[in-house]
Amino acid sequence: MTCSGDQLLEMLSALANPHRLRILATLSSMGRTYVSQLAREIGISRPLLHLHLRKLEEAGLVTSRLEISPDGKALNFFEVAPFAIELTPAAIAEAAPSLTATSRHSDS
Amino acid sequence: MTCSGDQLLEMLSALANPHRLRILATLSSMGRTYVSQLAREIGISRPLLHLHLRKLEEAGLVTSRLEISPDGKALNFFEVAPFAIELTPAAIAEAAPSLTATSRHSDS
DNA sequence: CCCACCTGTAAGTAAAATCTTACTGGTGGG
DNA sequence: CCCACCAGTAAGATTTTACTTACAGGTGGG
């Protein structure tokens, strides 16, 4: 799996957080779940979980789908995306050149 | 390569930064170099590079060795460690349970 | 109508990461 | 002695990230 430097960086940033690692681990073990249930399972507040899920989804590591349960409740189900990132010096050397500047002062 | 959740998190945190990715890429391409030379190559200040190198070394992604050049200067050479991290949902599910709390209020 | 679920988001604060500037100290050579 | 290299570190400003609290709105059912 070869991806752009920026995309790699976005995934790494999404993964570099204990809560988000736990979220992925839980989703990987339990399979699909909806937000409130996942918040209870992990033991963090819903707004906080929502924040982390958004970051994970933007990085393409999880996917969501809104579904209507039999009793009419709108549930937002999340599941892990089947990613596989190989992190080696060579892979990083290949991806790094395509990193955009992203500096806020100057890049002369 | 199986490692503890905390160790994985430390590596991911070290990798989740454009400068540090570039540092690893440069070291991987050029081979061993000393700090000042690397700073010139990448185009960042020495103190800043020193900061990033410290983080990379703490995570075990680079190694350093102080050497004396023929003309008597003390040069601190860095090189990439031969790491290989496989990032998949399953690998994360395996590592996550060994994450330490790291919460500052309560985890009841 | 109110309660129990579900969803999302905005505002404000607390904490951590990042970066610059400035300082300290070593060596060799003009 | 001063200049050109090399090294490291510490203080302070800025930016990002993380988190809490509070709000707004949907459904079904007692």
Side-chain angles (χ1 to χ4, degrees):
Chain A
M1 175 199 283
T2 309
C3 62
S4 83
D6 289 333
Q7 202 175 337
L8 175 63
L9 180 59
E10 191 180 13
M11 291 185 190
L12 288 171
S13 299
L15 289 170
N17 178 284
H19 282 329
R20 292 197 286 270
L21 285 182
R22 265 188 278 262
I23 290 170
L24 286 174
T26 305
L27 282 178
S28 179
S29 302
M30 312 180 77
R32 348 184 325 112
T33 335
Y34 59 95
V35 183
S36 291
Q37 175 61 31
L38 186 55
R40 278 189 295 267
E41 193 70 30
I42 298 178
I44 64 178
S45 70
R46 229 170 325 117
L48 181 55
L49 175 60
H50 186 265
L51 216 86
H52 288 309
L53 282 174
R54 194 160 61 104
K55 198 153 197 166
L56 286 170
E57 190 167 23
E58 282 174 357
L61 300 175
V62 303
T63 58
S64 70
R65 207 170 68 177
L66 199 82
E67 293 183 11
I68 308 297
S69 69
D71 58 324
K73 301 285 174 58
L75 306 180
N76 200 5
F77 277 86
F78 278 83
E79 67 182 324
V80 285
F83 61 88
I85 309 169
E86 172 87 3
L87 280 180
T88 61
I92 292 172
E94 193 181 344
S98 65
L99 281 169
T100 59
T102 322
S103 56
R104 43 208 139 290
H105 34 288
S106 83
D107 51 22
S108 63
Chain B
M1 175 199 281
T2 308
C3 61
S4 83
D6 288 335
Q7 201 175 338
L8 175 63
L9 180 59
E10 191 179 15
M11 291 186 191
L12 289 172
S13 299
L15 290 169
N17 178 283
H19 283 329
R20 292 196 287 270
L21 285 182
R22 266 188 278 263
I23 291 170
L24 286 174
T26 305
L27 283 178
S28 179
S29 302
M30 312 180 77
R32 345 184 327 112
T33 334
Y34 59 94
V35 182
S36 291
Q37 175 62 30
L38 186 55
R40 277 190 296 266
E41 193 70 29
I42 298 178
I44 64 178
S45 69
R46 229 175 328 148
L48 181 54
L49 176 61
H50 186 265
L51 215 87
H52 288 309
L53 282 173
R54 195 161 60 105
K55 197 153 198 168
L56 286 170
E57 190 168 23
E58 281 173 357
L61 300 175
V62 302
T63 57
S64 69
R65 206 170 67 180
L66 199 81
E67 294 183 9
I68 309 297
S69 69
D71 57 326
K73 301 284 175 57
L75 306 181
N76 201 4
F77 277 86
F78 278 82
E79 66 183 324
V80 286
F83 60 88
I85 309 169
E86 174 85 2
L87 279 181
T88 60
I92 293 172
E94 193 180 345
S98 64
L99 282 169
T100 58
T102 323
S103 58
R104 43 206 141 290
H105 33 289
S106 82
D107 51 22
S108 60

